[in-house]
Amino acid sequence: MGRVFHVPAGSVRSAHRRAAGLPVAAAADAATQQTQQTSRPRAGFVAGYLAPHPPHLVYAENPPQNEPRSTGGWEVLRWGYEELRRRLRRHAPDVLVVHAPHWITMVGHHVNCVPRPRGVSVEPIFPHLFRYHYDFATDVGLAEAIVDEASAAGLVTSALREEGVRVDYATIGALHLANPAWDIPVVSLSANNNPYYYSEASLAEMEVLGAATARAVARTGRRAVLLASNSLSHLHWDTEPELPEDMSAERPFSHQQYAGDMALLQTIREGPTARLKTAIPEHIAATQAETKSGSLTWLLAAMGWPDIAGDVLAYGTVIATGNAVVEWVAP
């Protein structure tokens, strides 16, 4: 129970009310309304996270939704996600908006508008690690607004409304690792610009999609957190140890791939984000980078390329791919 503060009669506060000619009750109502407006969380983007999706991280956590069982592994990255979760709670978002490179749509950008996606997401290369039972809520109002804004900006955009379409593991992985309670509504976007078919020249389209996402969030008055479900360097081993979580087998694919990741992360740590307009294509050219799918560019464009540095919470490899957990807090 909170303290009760009494204002003496004839105090400075009551003198101000009398001078303003306001009845005491009216002044109290006005003060209460002003306090509520001041304390109400502001709408818009409050933070963005580079939130990579390796299925191994979910596997290592042994959540009840995932069928395979693990003995652990990849702790540094998982500890980075623990810090992300603490920060996410403090941001108190209304919605998580995620762009993932493995919901690949060859014609246009798709937005999941299914109110309650349910099913089992299976990682096709690692089904022995990731068979995840999901059930979550979509913020349909914001999803529809993103479709409208992206279409108005000239992007080929579609609303997915078919029940039962399986949600890809990169979307599920990033969302679980950021919010395993699944108690925040979601909007998920597909990757029309993906790392397997298009070049980094298509990153310009991701800036258009990011700006459209920002307009939709502003229009709907949401308090949103963005998740870019990208790994960094993406060359990986074609075999794994008998025990997948055997960390003695975990290392970067090559010095070149590792050095490219470090160069990008140093730019992120120094800021501002505008430098990444050049650094991301350079990183793509220097490494086999999953950032080519555009998730990171979409996130930074949606935030308006803010004049800030990113906070690198963790870096580690997963079957040799480079992965970083990074936070940008909106100014």
Side-chain angles (χ1 to χ4, degrees):
M1 185 173 182
R3 297 180 182 177
V4 177
F5 294 92
H6 298 280
V7 180
S11 67
V12 173
R13 191 179 301 177
S14 61
H16 287 167
R17 285 199 295 264
R18 290 193 298 273
L22 289 173
V24 173
D29 289 344
T32 300
Q33 183 178 6
Q34 182 176 6
T35 300
Q36 290 173 342
Q37 290 174 346
T38 302
S39 61
R40 184 182 298 124
R42 65 182 176 86
F45 296 123
V46 293
Y49 292 97
L50 180 59
H53 59 262
H56 305 65
L57 302 184
V58 175
Y59 165 70
E61 302 246 308
N62 285 321
Q65 301 98 319
N66 197 39
E67 294 176 14
R69 299 290 92 187
S70 168
T71 61
W74 303 280
E75 278 77 10
V76 173
L77 278 167
R78 289 165 50 211
W79 293 338
Y81 264 112
E82 286 182 7
E83 177 60 22
L84 184 160
R85 293 193 283 267
R86 283 191 286 269
R87 298 183 183 198
L88 181 66
R89 285 293 161 191
R90 291 198 295 268
H91 293 313
D94 301 320
V95 62
L96 303 178
V97 187
V98 59
H99 187 280
H102 290 287
W103 180 14
I104 299 173
T105 50
M106 299 308 297
V107 179
H109 305 271
H110 294 224
V111 183
N112 194 335
C113 296
V114 176
R116 193 83 192 189
R118 295 182 178 91
V120 180
S121 184
V122 180
E123 211 286 6
I125 301 176
F126 299 101
H128 60 299
L129 303 183
F130 194 93
R131 298 189 302 277
Y132 188 101
H133 296 255
Y134 61 87
D135 180 354
F136 62 90
T138 297
D139 184 335
V140 177
L142 177 58
E144 297 278 7
I146 293 174
V147 173
D148 293 344
E149 293 291 345
S151 298
L155 300 179
V156 176
T157 314
S158 297
L160 172 67
R161 297 191 177 90
E162 290 76 19
E163 301 276 352
V165 175
R166 177 182 286 176
V167 179
D168 67 287
Y169 82 92
T171 296
I172 295 297
L175 288 169
H176 171 88
L177 291 163
N179 181 39
W182 291 94
D183 57 354
I184 303 171
V186 168
V187 174
S188 60
L189 285 71
S190 77
N192 176 234
N193 172 19
N194 65 74
Y196 308 107
Y197 299 99
Y198 300 129
S199 73
E200 64 271 16
S202 297
L203 293 180
E205 188 165 310
M206 302 309 296
E207 293 208 43
V208 177
L209 182 63
T213 304
R215 289 192 297 273
V217 167
R219 192 177 102 194
T220 56
R222 300 297 196 267
R223 181 177 172 84
V225 162
L226 296 163
L227 302 176
S229 180
N230 270 160
S231 294
L232 298 181
S233 61
H234 211 58
L235 289 179
H236 54 78
W237 312 124
D238 58 4
T239 59
E240 64 180 2
E242 183 176 347
L243 182 69
E245 56 266 38
D246 179 0
M247 292 295 97
S248 68
E250 190 60 79
R251 63 190 187 278
F253 187 87
S254 68
H255 175 69
Q256 179 184 356
Q257 297 290 295
Y258 176 80
D261 286 350
M262 291 304 104
L264 181 68
L265 290 175
Q266 186 60 32
T267 303
I268 287 172
R269 294 174 68 242
E270 293 172 355
T273 61
R275 292 178 60 199
L276 294 170
K277 292 184 179 183
T278 300
I280 290 172
E282 289 175 348
H283 178 253
I284 291 169
T287 69
Q288 293 295 322
E290 199 175 41
T291 51
K292 190 187 291 185
S293 70
S295 301
L296 180 55
T297 298
W298 161 82
L299 179 151
L300 295 170
M303 294 185 74
W305 298 97
D307 189 17
I308 57 174
D311 190 3
V312 179
L313 307 183
Y315 175 85
T317 62
V318 179
I319 59 165
T321 66
N323 297 268
V325 181
V326 182
E327 180 188 56
W328 290 268
V329 177

